[in-house]
């Protein structure tokens, strides 16, 4: 086979691989980081309700799994108990719910008035969030340390399917899934290709090698990176591969504007209201 024919074949193969990726919305996305967590205890139903009132496009949920295999919406993998810190995976969901975490920690930082309804401030499961908001919200879900939880990916996809939230590949995504764990995202991709996936990166400055960008393009629809990471060249390199860029976590309106001008496709924020002021 001639060299030009080989090149065309490889290009077409690459395009074919990229069509397997689920599409992300074309519009700029305001992503409520753990809900409107600048105003209410993170990951509480109250924080999510406030985020939607502030016109956030997606509410972010961090997921761990309890020992009785309940997907629980919480950021940290260890929780304070009477016998010391315990891993979420070693506790039952009932035990996790007994922990007064959100209100106590939030009030230490933000002494403001909170609703009296305790139900809005307690730790909740993924099932409860999906039941509470249904199709009135869009969900940006992070799988936290999924390698620690057997069957986590299957259970997430099962619950989303049961809730009727998963789109076909031609409709707008009600759900986006992100993780630092590439293997977990690949598993989700195998389970359901209709779910847009975001590969997370934790380092603050630098670039993603071209070889890695090509690999990302086979399963991910975009990347999530610290805001300090983002440059015009970085955004261009990802866009050239058809990947979106969602930096985190931005609570300053001027910084948000800088990133928007660089061409990012969405921003994680504790304070969705900064976008209402523009």
């Amino acid at each position: 086979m001639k060299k030009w024919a080989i090149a065309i074949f490889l290009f077409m193969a690459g395009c074919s691989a990229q069509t397997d990726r689920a599409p992300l919305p074309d519009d700029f996305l305001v992503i409520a980081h753990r809900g409107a967590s600048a105003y209410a205890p993170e990951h509480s139903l109250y924080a999510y309700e406030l985020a939607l009132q502030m016109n956030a496009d997606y509410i972010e949920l961090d997921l761990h799994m309890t020992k009785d295999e309940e997907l629980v919406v919480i950021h940290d993998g260890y929780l304070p108990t009477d016998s010391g810190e315990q891993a979420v995976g070693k506790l039952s969901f009932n035990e996790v719910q007994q922990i007064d975490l959100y209100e106590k920690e939030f009030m230490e930082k933000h002494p403001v008035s909170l609703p009296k309804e305790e139900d809005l401030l307690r730790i909740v499961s993924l099932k409860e969030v999906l039941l509470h908001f249904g199709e009135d919200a869009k969900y940006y879900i992070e799988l936290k340390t999924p390698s620690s939880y057997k069957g986590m990916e299957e259970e997430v996809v099962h619950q989303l399917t049961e809730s009727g939230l998963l789109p076909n590949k031609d409709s707008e995504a009600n759900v986006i899934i992100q993780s630092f764990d590439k293997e977990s995202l690949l598993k989700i991709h195998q389970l359901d290709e209709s779910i847009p996936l975001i590969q997370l990166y934790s380092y603050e400055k630098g670039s993603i090698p071209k070889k890695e960008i090509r690999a990302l393009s086979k399963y991910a629809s975009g990347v999530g990176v610290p805001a300090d990471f983002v440059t015009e060249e970085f955004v261009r390199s990802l866009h050239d591969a058809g990947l979106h860029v969602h930096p985190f976590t931005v609570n300053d309106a001027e910084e948000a504007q800088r990133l928007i001008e660089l061409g990012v496709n969405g921003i994680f924020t504790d304070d969705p209201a900064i976008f209402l002021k523009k």
Side-chain angles (χ1 to χ4, degrees):
M1 185 181 292
K2 294 183 180 293
K3 289 184 178 180
W4 62 266
I6 293 173
I8 292 175
F9 173 80
L10 291 175
F11 174 77
M12 295 302 294
C15 290
S16 175
Q18 290 191 18
T19 59
D20 289 339
R21 294 178 298 165
L24 285 165
D26 292 327
D27 295 336
F28 176 82
L29 303 181
V30 177
I31 306 153
H33 182 241
R34 310 177 195 176
S37 52
Y39 300 91
E42 65 180 37
H43 291 313
S44 65
L45 293 177
Y46 185 53
Y48 292 139
E49 288 185 353
L50 287 178
L52 295 177
Q53 291 174 29
M54 295 175 185
N55 294 334
D57 296 297
Y58 284 80
I59 55 175
E60 188 211 23
L61 288 68
D62 292 326
L63 294 187
H64 287 275
M65 182 179 274
T66 61
K67 71 177 182 181
D68 48 352
E69 299 183 348
E70 190 72 59
L71 293 169
V72 60
V73 184
I74 193 167
H75 178 265
D76 295 334
Y78 288 81
L79 297 176
T81 69
D82 293 339
S83 57
E85 277 199 336
Q86 296 287 328
V88 174
K90 300 292 185 181
L91 300 170
S92 69
F93 181 57
N94 182 61
E95 289 171 323
V96 168
Q97 284 200 306
Q98 304 310 309
I99 299 172
D100 180 15
L101 178 64
Y102 291 147
E103 185 171 6
K104 179 181 177 182
E105 288 195 354
F106 182 83
M107 291 302 291
E108 290 175 353
K109 300 176 183 177
H110 309 280
V112 298
S113 176
L114 290 171
K116 294 182 179 179
E117 298 91 340
E118 293 182 4
D119 191 60
L120 291 176
L121 299 176
R122 64 183 173 82
I123 296 173
V124 291
S125 67
L126 174 61
K127 288 177 185 176
E128 290 174 306
V129 176
L130 298 180
L131 182 62
H132 187 87
F133 293 104
E135 295 183 358
D136 292 333
K138 293 182 179 179
Y139 307 90
Y140 205 123
I141 297 172
E142 180 176 350
L143 305 187
K144 306 291 287 187
T145 61
S147 60
S148 302
Y149 307 114
K150 184 178 179 180
M152 185 184 211
E153 294 85 2
E154 288 84 354
E155 182 60 20
V156 169
V157 172
H158 171 72
Q159 289 193 28
L160 294 173
T161 302
E162 290 287 299
S163 299
L165 291 169
L166 295 185
N168 60 52
K169 294 184 68 172
D170 298 320
S171 63
E172 188 168 292
N174 291 319
V175 176
I176 299 169
I177 292 180
Q178 63 177 343
S179 182
F180 289 100
D181 190 320
K182 176 181 177 180
E183 296 305 314
S184 181
L185 292 179
L186 287 171
K187 186 179 291 187
I188 292 287
H189 188 63
Q190 291 173 348
L191 291 168
D192 194 316
E193 291 184 356
S194 74
I195 305 173
L197 304 176
I198 302 294
Q199 180 67 61
L200 291 172
Y201 292 88
S202 60
Y203 39 86
E204 294 183 357
K205 293 185 184 294
S207 63
I208 301 175
K210 289 182 180 180
K211 183 178 180 181
E212 188 169 347
I213 291 176
R214 288 195 296 271
L216 281 172
S217 299
K218 295 179 181 178
Y219 67 93
S221 301
V223 300
V225 294
D228 289 346
F229 191 99
V230 179
T231 64
E232 184 175 2
E233 181 180 358
F234 175 80
V235 173
R236 188 186 308 114
S237 68
L238 272 296
H239 283 178
D240 286 347
L243 294 162
H244 286 211
V245 180
H246 295 165
F248 55 85
T249 303
V250 180
N251 298 318
D252 177 78
E254 290 186 4
E255 173 66 357
Q257 184 59 37
R258 179 188 76 84
L259 292 165
I260 290 170
E261 291 174 0
L262 290 178
V264 303
N265 307 94
I267 291 176
F268 286 87
T269 181
D270 300 327
D271 184 1
I274 65 172
F275 295 93
L276 295 176
K277 300 170 187 174
K278 301 188 70 61

